[in-house]
Amino acid sequence: MPQWLCNQLMRAFQQKDRRQIKLLNDCWYFYRTKQGPKEQSSGSLM
């Protein structure tokens, strides 16, 4: 997970901002679906 996303998620959880948490969660899953095949293929070689 990118550091900027971790920072924003921590801030949203501390402020109990449910809207922001949901938005960032959706962004993370969107990012994972776009980056998934590249990371999974390189991870399976180890």
Side-chain angles (χ1 to χ4, degrees), residues 4-43:
W4 63 269
L5 185 58
C6 288
N7 293 340
Q8 288 190 13
L9 272 170
M10 286 190 290
R11 190 177 313 127
F13 272 103
Q14 288 172 351
Q15 296 174 354
K16 295 179 175 63
D17 186 353
R18 290 183 180 184
R19 183 192 61 83
Q20 185 73 3
I21 293 168
K22 183 174 179 354
L23 176 68
L24 292 169
N25 192 45
D26 290 343
C27 289
W28 172 241
Y29 280 107
F30 179 76
Y31 175 82
R32 289 275 300 194
T33 58
K34 294 297 180 187
Q35 298 296 322
K38 294 177 191 172
E39 291 177 4
Q40 290 173 357
S41 63
S42 64

